[in-house]
Amino acid sequence: MFKAIIARCKQGHRTMAYPREPLALPERFRGYPEIKADLCPKDCRACADACPVDALECQPDLSLDLGKCLFCPECSRACPQGAITHTPDARLAANHREELVVRPGDEHRLAQALEKKMLSLFGRSLKFRSVVAGGCNACEADTNVLSTIGWDLGRFGIQFVASPRHADGLWVTGPVTEHMREALLLTYEAIPAPKLVVACGACAISGGPFRGSPEAHDGVEGMLPVDLYIPGCPPHPVTILDGLLRLLDRMP
Ligand code: SF4
Ligand code: SF4
């Protein structure tokens, strides 16, 4: 026991300082896109044709839908002019589906805090019940990382719980396969009101790489009222945490 205490003291404090201090992301990290439509040659569709999930629209203007984007990034590779680049900005979450569509010259819209009453209920303690509604499990893996000591999601009062009866919100990953649809809706019903819904990852927002599959529902849009959309395939843990802290008005 004594040895264990000494070892623990030697380990020191391992939880990162984020969001008090910025987080160093890998050089290859791909975040919020920058679109320079003035570089596009007339009638060029190279980026849109290269995109595996139809996240790009060329008409009337070039736009990129973060809710569909897999951050792969075939579009920037295909563009001969360098009109699309992914910046290292990991702040991607938004409150409304339409805010995920990025157009040239748009201001970067960040997730906004809950309204006052919801904030007073959930601002210091927020429990989620997670439902894996299909998908590949990478979104769950990056969500689970947040509960490790490195990130320590619990220090913000946010936790994942086993029962929907103990939860304040539903955490959805995956494209909502037909097999999981009823379980997802029953879980939502079992959470006491008022409640939140978070769609985590491209699958939950739009179907992701499974979009159009006859076995899936292209995400929760139109099925449940979503309070926070977190883009990515999967979203980086810092993208998830940034969205949650903004929703709870906890960003310093
Ligand atoms: S990075 Fe996004 S928009 Fe670009 S090709 Fe990949 S999925 Fe499509
Ligand atoms: S969004 Fe991507 S990482 Fe997340 S479940 Fe779907 S395929 Fe997997």
Side-chain angles (χ1 to χ4, degrees):
M1 176 69 180
F2 191 61
K3 275 187 187 166
I5 293 171
I6 297 211
R8 188 68 191 84
C9 290
K10 278 186 184 163
Q11 276 178 6
H13 184 71
R14 295 292 175 93
T15 303
M16 66 185 65
Y18 180 88
R20 214 172 355 97
E21 290 170 20
L23 186 74
L25 289 163
E27 236 173 69
R28 292 191 317 167
F29 179 82
R30 292 186 286 269
Y32 194 79
E34 186 178 9
I35 304 175
K36 294 179 184 154
D38 51 325
L39 297 180
C40 297
K42 194 169 180 299
D43 296 330
C44 177
R45 285 191 45 89
C47 59
D49 290 343
C51 178
V53 287
D54 292 331
L56 287 148
E57 289 286 342
C58 294
Q59 295 298 336
D61 294 310
L62 185 60
S63 65
L64 192 160
D65 185 349
L66 290 177
K68 292 181 182 172
C69 183
L70 309 179
F71 297 79
C72 53
E74 293 301 322
C75 53
S76 43
R77 285 195 192 122
C79 178
Q81 307 292 322
I84 299 180
T85 46
H86 285 84
T87 72
D89 190 343
R91 301 169 305 164
L92 303 172
N95 305 88
H96 302 105
R97 181 67 183 88
E98 62 274 15
E99 289 169 354
L100 296 177
V101 179
V102 180
R103 295 184 181 83
D106 273 1
E107 67 169 296
H108 185 168
R109 287 164 293 189
L110 301 171
Q112 300 297 304
L114 290 166
E115 51 109 353
K116 232 174 168 183
K117 186 170 174 233
M118 295 290 267
L119 214 48
S120 72
L121 285 171
F122 301 137
R124 297 177 69 82
S125 171
L126 179 59
K127 314 291 177 202
F128 285 105
R129 167 66 213 197
S130 164
V131 173
V132 182
C136 75
N137 278 117
C139 281
E140 291 80 74
D142 271 6
T143 301
N144 291 343
V145 161
L146 289 170
S147 297
T148 60
I149 54 166
W151 294 85
D152 191 14
L153 191 62
R155 72 192 144 126
F156 305 106
I158 308 169
Q159 284 174 322
F160 288 85
V161 291
S163 166
R165 297 284 185 213
H166 301 159
D168 307 302
L170 180 64
W171 190 271
V172 190
T173 53
V176 192
T177 55
E178 178 52 24
H179 280 309
M180 284 305 295
R181 187 183 62 84
E182 189 178 1
L184 179 71
L185 296 178
L186 287 174
T187 306
Y188 176 73
E189 287 307 320
I191 298 173
K195 49 193 154 187
L196 302 178
V197 176
V198 176
C200 179
C203 280
I205 299 172
S206 67
F210 307 104
R211 188 172 173 79
S213 163
E215 305 302 328
H217 289 274
D218 292 349
V220 290
E221 193 63 13
M223 197 180 287
L224 293 171
V226 178
D227 298 279
L228 187 68
Y229 296 87
I230 306 178
C233 182
H236 191 284
V238 77
T239 298
I240 301 175
L241 186 53
D242 172 81
L244 281 172
L245 295 181
R246 287 181 194 283
L247 193 71
L248 299 181
D249 206 14
R250 299 282 297 273
M251 281 307 271

